[in-house]
Structure formats: structure tokens, C-alpha cells
Amino acid sequence: MTTGILAIQGDFEKHQQTLETLNCSTLLVKDKNHLQQCDGLIIPGGESTTLVNLLKKHGLWQSVHEFGLQKTIFGTCAGLILLANRLVHNRLDSLSLIDITVERNAYGRQIDSFIDTVDLQLNHKKLNFEGVFIRAPKIVDVGKEVKVLGRYQQSPVMVENEHIMASTFHPEITADSCIHQYFIEKVRKNSHDRS
Ligand code: GLN
């Protein structure tokens, strides 16, 4: 099983390091060929407007969309913005792979970035997780089919549907790798169900 990390902009190396500590084989994805070799994909944080432009420039926009209709994608921060069905206050093309509404930069500017405890519920277990929020978006609405996996001050900050997972914070920066572990299990389960 190979997990790709979109490596055209943003914080991809930290995701790769975390996956490798979990003995997961990884591939930095820069084109369609790379994507075809992957069972799952991480879209890292960065700048969503730049990521949209570069995905199109590298001919990856449509392929990532199609990948996400069948295979597992985890988007963090800007990655979550790209996956969301709807954005408020912004016009930005979306991969439309998860039924959430998102507001970009909703906590303020770069200097309003913060670290605080997120309440997770993974595999029916409640956990605390150090959430690193870097000019983070807010999830302002969640569709009926979407499950909330993490909350910060009661509001959803990590969600999933059948194939897609997304968080507004950066789990790759924190030493605890339980979220990446959960993602790997989701990729494995999904590839198994498809074969
Ligand atoms: N503020 C960025 C955006 O709107 C996201 C920041 C991040 O990924 N850390 O795209």
C-alpha cells in the first residue's frame, strides 16, 4: 500500500515524515503518474489559492477529483478548503468531495495562529490532541452524511465521509501520530473494500 502526499506546495515533508514513522510507504505526488501509484493521498496545508492554480497547471485537478471519488484523501487546512463543497466569502474552485461549508482565515491573520486542545473521537475513543491552527479555516456547516471526528470549543474541526477526511489544524506538526494512523487504516480499509 502506498500513500501519496501532494508535493506541489506547502507542508508536505512533515506529513511524509509522520507516515514513515508509522512504517507506511509514501510517494511525493507531483504528477498524474505518481497519483496512479497511490492508494491514498494527503493534501497538505499551504495556500489554497496557490494550490488550486498549481493543481491545474500540473494537470492534476481533474485526476485528484476522480481519485477522491474512489480512494481516500486527507486534507489538512488549505487541503480541507480544497475538498469542501462550499466556501463562504470566497470564490475559489473546489474539488467538492465533502459536504461541508468552510470559511477561510476565519480566526484572523497569520499572527492570530494558535495551539490549543482539540477533542477527538476516533474509533469510539475520546482523545485530546494538540491542535496547531495556522491561519486556519472554520467549518461553518456540516452535511448530514458527514461525521465529526474532532471539535474545538464545541465546533467541528475534523470531519470525514466515506472516502474523505479533513482537518482545519495541522496534525503533522504534533508528535502524536494517532490521526495519521487513523488515516492509514481508512486507506487500507478502502483499498480492501475495492479489491
Ligand atoms: N490560510 C490558508 C488558506 O486560506 C490556509 C493556511 C494553512 O494551510 N495553514 O489557504
Side-chain angles (χ1 to χ4, degrees), residues 45-49 76-78 81 104-105 134-137 170:
E47 183 58 39
S48 49
T49 46
T76 56
C77 205
I81 295 170
R104 286 181 66 200
N105 305 327
I134 305 172
R135 214 175 169 215
H170 284 261

XYZ file of all heavy atoms in Angstrom, residues 45-49 76-78 81 104-105 134-137 170, ligand 1:
126
model
N -1.406 21.401 4.136
C -1.666 22.827 4.295
C -0.717 23.615 3.408
O 0.286 23.092 2.917
N -1.040 24.850 3.203
C -0.251 25.736 2.343
C -1.132 26.939 2.072
O -1.726 27.504 2.992
N -1.278 27.291 0.827
C -2.144 28.414 0.453
C -3.128 27.873 -0.585
O -2.723 27.451 -1.674
C -1.265 29.546 -0.098
C -2.023 30.796 -0.446
C -2.793 31.394 0.726
O -2.280 31.385 1.865
O -3.920 31.858 0.494
N -4.411 27.880 -0.230
C -5.388 27.196 -1.077
C -5.466 27.782 -2.487
O -5.578 27.032 -3.466
C -6.757 27.182 -0.404
O -7.097 28.455 0.053
N -5.371 29.114 -2.613
C -5.465 29.711 -3.960
C -4.289 29.225 -4.828
O -4.465 28.862 -5.989
C -5.447 31.255 -3.888
O -4.405 31.633 -2.994
C -6.736 31.827 -3.379
N -5.512 18.715 4.997
C -5.308 19.490 6.219
C -5.256 20.975 5.859
O -4.549 21.367 4.939
C -4.002 19.083 6.941
O -2.895 19.220 6.064
C -4.059 17.638 7.402
N -5.990 21.762 6.603
C -6.004 23.222 6.489
C -6.324 23.670 5.050
O -7.458 23.538 4.622
C -4.705 23.793 7.045
S -4.918 25.478 7.588
N -5.340 24.145 4.274
C -5.648 24.517 2.888
C -6.205 23.312 2.128
O -7.072 23.450 1.261
C -4.401 25.059 2.195
N -9.806 23.124 2.659
C -10.504 24.164 1.871
C -10.769 23.647 0.445
O -11.856 23.808 -0.105
C -9.679 25.481 1.857
C -9.580 26.060 3.274
C -10.274 26.501 0.883
C -8.594 27.212 3.430
N -12.552 30.636 5.000
C -11.083 30.750 5.053
C -10.654 31.801 6.062
O -11.342 32.785 6.280
C -10.537 31.197 3.686
C -10.556 30.125 2.642
C -9.978 30.661 1.339
N -8.563 30.979 1.457
C -7.904 31.789 0.632
N -8.531 32.386 -0.355
N -6.626 32.018 0.798
N -9.471 31.605 6.635
C -8.839 32.592 7.529
C -9.799 33.093 8.604
O -9.785 34.281 8.957
C -8.307 33.781 6.712
C -7.360 33.330 5.607
O -6.637 32.348 5.760
N -7.375 34.016 4.484
N -2.953 27.200 11.994
C -2.143 28.226 11.325
C -3.005 28.933 10.285
O -3.342 28.357 9.248
C -0.898 27.599 10.660
C -0.092 26.797 11.692
C -0.038 28.683 10.013
C 1.049 25.990 11.096
N -3.382 30.148 10.594
C -4.277 30.912 9.707
C -5.373 29.976 9.177
O -5.605 29.839 7.963
C -3.487 31.539 8.560
C -4.074 32.868 8.185
C -3.261 33.585 7.145
N -4.043 34.724 6.669
C -4.035 35.166 5.447
N -3.276 34.622 4.536
N -4.790 36.188 5.096
N -6.014 29.358 10.143
C -6.882 28.218 9.828
C -8.270 28.651 9.354
O -8.755 29.726 9.702
C -7.026 27.357 11.077
N -8.898 27.779 8.599
C -10.300 27.994 8.228
C -11.222 27.480 9.343
O -10.766 26.787 10.259
C -10.444 27.116 6.984
C -9.473 25.994 7.193
C -8.330 26.550 7.998
N -3.202 21.262 11.889
C -2.050 20.581 11.260
C -1.545 19.416 12.122
O -0.592 19.602 12.889
C -0.905 21.586 11.103
C -1.087 22.552 9.989
N -0.484 22.394 8.762
C -1.806 23.688 9.912
C -0.820 23.396 7.973
N -1.621 24.200 8.648
N -4.911 30.452 5.105
C -4.620 29.421 4.156
C -5.653 29.421 3.020
O -6.690 30.013 3.130
C -4.568 28.055 4.814
C -3.437 28.016 5.820
C -2.826 26.677 6.050
O -2.965 25.754 5.246
N -2.115 26.593 7.133
O -5.419 28.799 2.042
